[in-house]
Amino acid sequence: MTAARDGWSIRAALTGAVLAALLLAGAAVVAMAFGGLGASDLRLWMGAFVLTFLLLAAALAWFGARRFAGRLAALAADARRIHRMDLAPTPRVRSRLREVDELGAALSVMKASVRGSTQALQTSQQKLEDLITAGLNMSRERDMMGLLEQMIWGARQLTQCDAVTLYIVTEQRTLRFALRTRDDQLPVAEIPLHDPDGRENTQFVSAFVALRNQAVVIDDVYREDRFDLSGTRGFDATSGYRTVSMLALPLAPREGEVIGVLQLMNALDPATGEVVPFDAESVRLASALAAQAAVSLDNHQLVQAQQDVMDSMVRLIAGAIDAKSPYTGGHCERVPALAIMLAEEATAAKEGPLASFGFHTPEEWREFQVGAWLHDCGKMTTPEYVVDKATKLETIYDRIHEIRTRFEVLWRDAEIDALQARLAGEDEASAMRRRNTRQARLQEDFAFLAECNLGAEYMAQDRVARLRQIAEQTWWRHFDDRLGISHGAQARLHAIPGQALPVREKLLDDKPEHIVERPPSAAMDPRFGFKLDVPEHLYNHGELYNLSVSRGTLTPEERYKINEHIMQTIAMLDAMPFPKNLRRVPEYAGTHHETLTGKGYPRRLDASQLSVPARIMAVADIFEALTAADRPYKKSKTLSEAIAILYGFKQRRHIDGDVFDLFLTSGVYRRYAERFLAPELIDEVDIAGYLGPTNWTTRRQPDPREGEA
């Protein structure tokens, strides 16, 4: 209206100016005609006319230029706003001048077009960002259920559809309903990909997509005739839901292998919320998301498969160690069970000295479990006869039988001597008394030797002296002891001169061939920081040497060999390329023989160097050894006896007192006993006397894990 008024005001002014000029000119002509004006007057009139006309024209020109410039300035400002991408709606600039009006209209159209394109670009950019975000979230997700939820909710948000269902291809070549965005119950039945006769089941949309590895777009489920959608329609009828449009996409990380199907239902118009078909852009975006989801799901399945294989290998190793010996079977299973029970209670503690400890992620729990299962993997290198050594003379067999055979020889020698004496004319009674005396002494000596072999009695010096006295008895060997022996035994005898037969030998002896030299070992690498005293020899099978062991059945070499298993465990696990989330497995597996006093093995760590999981492992390992019913060198302790002995370890700071107290107050000791101990071993325990601080003592008590009585 303003432009129209401006236009009309300019026209009126111009018309007025022209009329005024014409009136002046007409008046001058009339005056001349009737003689009222002379030529000079006419010139004056004409001059006045021209001057008036020029003044009016100038005024009108200034007024019109000002109005025109204002319109052009408005158009220029609009153009600058467009240049700045300021696309907010503004009134259109109008003018009576056609060119100016058309320019204003063009700018308005341009602004609307750019605004629409910008909005479309922003929408596309936002969807692209949503796609990237969804892909990143899926790649970071470690939990399978969390990953599946990321898939379906990401697809729903990206395509602005109403519902999403995810199918997973099973090993039985069926489609299993895995998850959906709606909260209705998932069907239990699975969709077979093949009919019983082996033909492909392409009548169902999801099966077709899985078999053909291609997307399917359906604009209207109730008009679709390519597939059997009776299941969808039946679901609509029972649930009240109305499925119209559908988009089914394969999840295929590698060409030709579909691992799942993503099914989207009812695309929604962003403006009206009405159900519409899935457009081409939604199909592209959903396909891109499905490709990322397929890679993430496949990677997750591969990682899970690797973890399953590793866990199976860990259990296989533990089972092999247990199966290696009939006496320690189940140890590598029971210790992790007890350690995990204790760790769960320590994690749940809300107050006290263990309140700050806890495993808070599945990765931390798995790291501890793997360490617990592998805590004795080094025992694979420990000979079975050392682990199971129930008597002092036992190696692969109990050599007491060899010595008994020598006693049998001496027995018969006594018989022969008596017979020969009688043949030589000696009195029969005298010969028989000498024989009987000799045989009675043999009986006594062998009984004493057999008792020493059991290792139940402490070998005081007087007992060792009697052993040496018995050993000095001799017998005759008539057969070559170098025949029929192994190459290794032959090598040990190579530097020892042979003797002419027959040979008089001692009843008990420590021979050079009883010594087995120590070979180089990777476990002795200085970088591990082991601080055990290493015996000179690998083994010393000397008969007198073994029978003289002061306590238990193990020689220093054999005790070191058993203790070496933890060194081998650390060396073996150090050589394994554990991922970052399992980097503490060697620590958890290799510290259960350390003590808070710094006198444990193999590194002599002290309390400041032992983590709570390491302290838990020590308690679990000792208690299992105390209550195990399958050890050859001791009887199983009752529950109360085991707790009392474990309390002694607490007093001497061989185990952590806080973990021990938690072991009792949480009831873990009884739950473990009910699960693994024979009923007759589960007696009542008054835990009150074992709790709280104790007076430390350093009195040595045999470690039940070391094969001592």
Side-chain angles (χ1 to χ4, degrees):
M1 295 298 295
T2 302
R5 288 197 300 269
D6 290 342
W8 282 110
S9 63
I10 294 173
R11 182 180 296 178
L14 290 172
T15 302
V18 172
L19 289 176
L22 290 176
L23 287 175
L24 288 173
V29 173
V30 171
M32 289 183 65
F34 290 98
L37 290 174
S40 59
D41 294 329
L42 182 60
R43 284 194 297 273
L44 290 174
W45 276 97
M46 291 300 294
F49 167 74
V50 172
L51 180 60
T52 302
F53 182 79
L54 290 175
L55 290 173
L56 290 173
L60 291 172
W62 176 83
F63 182 77
R66 184 177 178 183
R67 293 293 184 182
F68 181 68
R71 298 297 179 272
L72 291 179
L75 292 174
D78 220 13
R80 285 193 295 271
R81 282 193 292 271
I82 294 174
H83 178 72
R84 295 194 306 268
M85 297 304 293
D86 180 4
L87 305 176
T90 57
R92 174 185 164 185
V93 177
R94 296 180 179 274
S95 175
R96 286 294 180 179
L97 295 177
R98 185 181 64 182
E99 291 80 0
V100 175
D101 189 62
E102 289 178 352
L103 181 58
L107 286 176
S108 296
V109 172
M110 180 188 298
K111 186 187 295 184
S113 177
V114 173
R115 184 166 56 247
S117 298
T118 301
Q119 290 176 348
L121 180 61
Q122 291 174 344
T123 301
S124 298
Q125 183 179 3
Q126 183 60 50
K127 289 185 177 181
L128 180 59
E129 291 178 357
D130 292 342
L131 177 62
I132 295 173
T133 300
L136 290 174
N137 290 338
M138 288 187 293
S139 65
R140 293 169 181 160
E141 185 61 57
R142 293 293 177 264
D143 178 67
M144 173 62 82
M145 185 55 65
L147 175 60
L148 300 183
E149 290 178 350
Q150 290 279 0
M151 288 183 189
I152 62 174
W153 289 103
R156 184 176 183 269
Q157 178 181 358
L158 192 64
T159 60
Q160 295 182 338
C161 67
D162 184 58
V164 179
T165 298
L166 175 66
Y167 302 86
I168 297 296
V169 178
T170 68
E171 294 183 359
Q172 292 73 35
R173 299 299 295 166
T174 63
L175 285 176
R176 175 177 58 84
F177 289 85
L179 202 63
R180 62 170 41 148
T181 55
R182 297 181 62 84
D183 58 2
D184 47 358
Q185 187 175 1
L186 286 171
V188 177
E190 298 179 358
I191 302 174
L193 295 181
H194 294 85
D195 294 331
D197 58 4
R199 290 182 300 175
E200 292 183 340
N201 182 18
T202 57
Q203 60 178 325
F204 298 111
V205 176
S206 55
F208 176 88
V209 171
L211 290 167
R212 294 289 187 269
N213 192 12
Q214 65 184 59
V216 171
V217 181
I218 297 175
D219 292 341
D220 191 338
V221 166
Y222 289 86
R223 295 181 180 179
E224 176 62 40
D225 56 5
R226 293 173 296 172
F227 304 102
D228 181 1
L229 295 170
S230 58
T232 301
R233 295 167 187 151
F235 172 78
D236 288 355
T238 57
S239 65
Y241 186 77
R242 176 75 175 180
T243 306
V244 180
S245 57
M246 181 183 293
L247 171 61
L249 299 165
L251 300 177
R254 293 183 293 275
E255 184 177 357
E257 182 180 353
V258 177
I259 61 175
V261 173
L262 205 59
Q263 188 168 285
L264 292 70
M265 280 79 73
N266 288 351
L268 302 176
D269 185 280
T272 64
E274 297 294 327
V275 177
V276 296
F278 286 91
D279 57 27
E281 183 181 12
S282 295
V283 174
R284 287 194 299 271
L285 289 171
S287 298
L289 178 67
Q292 295 184 58
V295 172
S296 296
L297 181 58
D298 186 55
N299 288 341
H300 191 283
Q301 291 177 338
L302 288 174
V303 170
Q304 187 61 50
Q306 291 174 350
Q307 290 183 356
D308 292 343
V309 169
M310 181 175 180
D311 291 345
S312 297
M313 291 295 294
V314 167
R315 285 169 171 76
L316 180 66
I317 292 172
I321 295 169
D322 283 345
K324 179 180 178 182
S325 167
Y327 301 114
T328 59
H331 172 78
C332 290
E333 177 185 357
R334 293 190 293 263
V335 169
L338 178 53
I340 291 168
M341 292 167 67
L342 262 173
E344 289 173 344
E345 293 296 336
T347 298
K350 302 302 181 185
E351 57 184 17
L354 297 175
S356 61
F357 166 76
F359 293 134
H360 304 295
T361 66
E363 288 79 10
E364 290 176 335
W365 277 109
R366 182 167 180 268
E367 185 178 42
F368 181 68
Q369 289 170 344
V370 171
W373 276 95
L374 291 175
H375 80 283
D376 268 352
C377 66
K379 282 186 177 177
M380 289 189 295
T381 66
T382 306
E384 180 182 341
Y385 74 86
V386 175
V387 177
D388 299 342
K389 190 179 182 186
T391 65
K392 294 180 180 181
L393 290 173
E394 185 175 359
T395 52
I396 297 177
Y397 68 100
D398 195 338
R399 293 178 296 157
I400 190 70
H401 303 302
E402 284 188 24
I403 295 172
R404 188 181 63 245
T405 300
R406 298 172 198 166
F407 273 84
E408 294 283 359
V409 171
L410 294 180
W411 180 283
R412 285 162 178 75
D413 284 349
E415 292 278 2
I416 294 171
D417 288 345
L419 292 174
Q420 288 179 339
R422 289 181 60 191
L423 289 175
E426 184 177 344
D427 178 65
E428 179 180 358
S430 175
M432 291 301 102
R433 281 195 302 272
R434 188 170 63 254
R435 182 201 68 180
N436 293 340
T437 301
R438 174 63 174 150
Q439 290 180 339
R441 182 184 173 189
L442 289 174
Q443 290 280 10
E444 293 175 0
D445 287 346
F446 184 76
F448 173 76
L449 190 150
E451 182 183 349
C452 292
N453 188 43
L454 295 176
E457 295 290 336
Y458 174 71
M459 291 296 293
Q461 286 302 314
D462 59 331
R463 294 173 64 84
V464 175
R466 184 178 176 186
L467 268 180
R468 295 186 181 280
Q469 183 181 10
I470 295 173
E472 290 301 319
Q473 301 178 60
T474 60
W475 65 288
W476 286 97
R477 176 172 60 84
H478 294 80
F479 294 90
D480 191 344
D481 61 356
R482 304 190 180 206
L483 296 179
I485 61 176
S486 68
H487 293 293
Q490 289 278 9
R492 289 196 296 273
L493 290 171
H494 180 72
I496 303 173
Q499 295 176 294
L501 297 174
V503 178
R504 182 180 291 275
E505 293 191 343
K506 292 182 178 181
L507 188 58
L508 301 173
D509 204 359
D510 294 336
K511 298 181 179 180
E513 56 264 33
H514 287 149
I515 302 296
V516 180
E517 298 299 328
R518 180 174 299 281
S521 171
M524 297 310 298
D525 193 323
R527 68 190 177 88
F528 293 125
F530 298 143
K531 298 178 181 178
L532 273 72
D533 297 328
V534 183
E536 178 184 359
H537 304 119
L538 181 63
Y539 297 115
N540 185 339
H541 296 313
E543 297 163 344
L544 191 58
Y545 179 78
N546 277 259
L547 286 169
S548 299
V549 168
S550 62
R551 187 185 298 274
T553 63
L554 299 177
T555 65
E557 291 80 8
E558 290 165 338
R559 187 174 305 284
Y560 176 83
K561 189 63 179 177
I562 286 183
N563 292 347
E564 189 186 28
H565 84 274
I566 196 66
M567 301 164 61
Q568 294 290 347
T569 293
I570 294 172
M572 291 166 62
L573 296 180
D574 179 77
M576 293 184 65
F578 284 111
K580 184 178 180 181
N581 62 326
L582 295 177
R583 66 185 183 278
R584 299 189 70 178
V585 164
E587 173 199 343
Y588 297 156
T591 52
H592 57 281
H593 286 284
E594 302 287 355
T595 70
L596 304 185
T597 64
K599 296 181 180 179
Y601 65 91
R603 294 187 173 119
R604 298 179 184 171
L605 304 178
D606 59 26
S608 65
Q609 298 169 293
L610 295 174
S611 64
V612 172
R615 301 175 186 212
I616 288 174
M617 284 297 303
V619 172
D621 194 62
I622 295 175
F623 188 74
E624 192 284 331
L626 287 170
T627 56
D630 48 16
R631 302 301 166 88
Y633 44 79
K634 69 175 186 65
K635 295 181 179 180
S636 179
K637 305 294 184 183
T638 65
L639 185 57
S640 60
E641 290 173 337
I643 295 296
I645 295 174
L646 199 62
Y647 175 66
F649 281 88
K650 170 188 173 179
Q651 288 181 303
R652 295 185 300 280
R653 299 188 71 222
H654 286 189
I655 62 172
D656 182 83
D658 296 327
V659 174
F660 174 78
D661 289 355
L662 179 69
F663 177 59
L664 297 181
T665 58
S666 65
V668 166
Y669 76 97
R670 181 160 290 276
R671 295 204 303 273
Y672 174 85
E674 291 171 350
R675 179 176 173 184
F676 292 107
L677 269 61
E680 61 271 15
L681 297 176
I682 304 176
D683 54 1
E684 290 300 319
V685 180
D686 182 9
I687 67 173
Y690 299 126
L691 301 177
T694 62
N695 296 321
W696 295 340
T697 176
T698 58
R699 184 175 61 85
R700 174 75 168 96
Q701 180 169 331
D703 190 326
R705 301 168 296 180
E706 297 179 357
E708 296 184 4

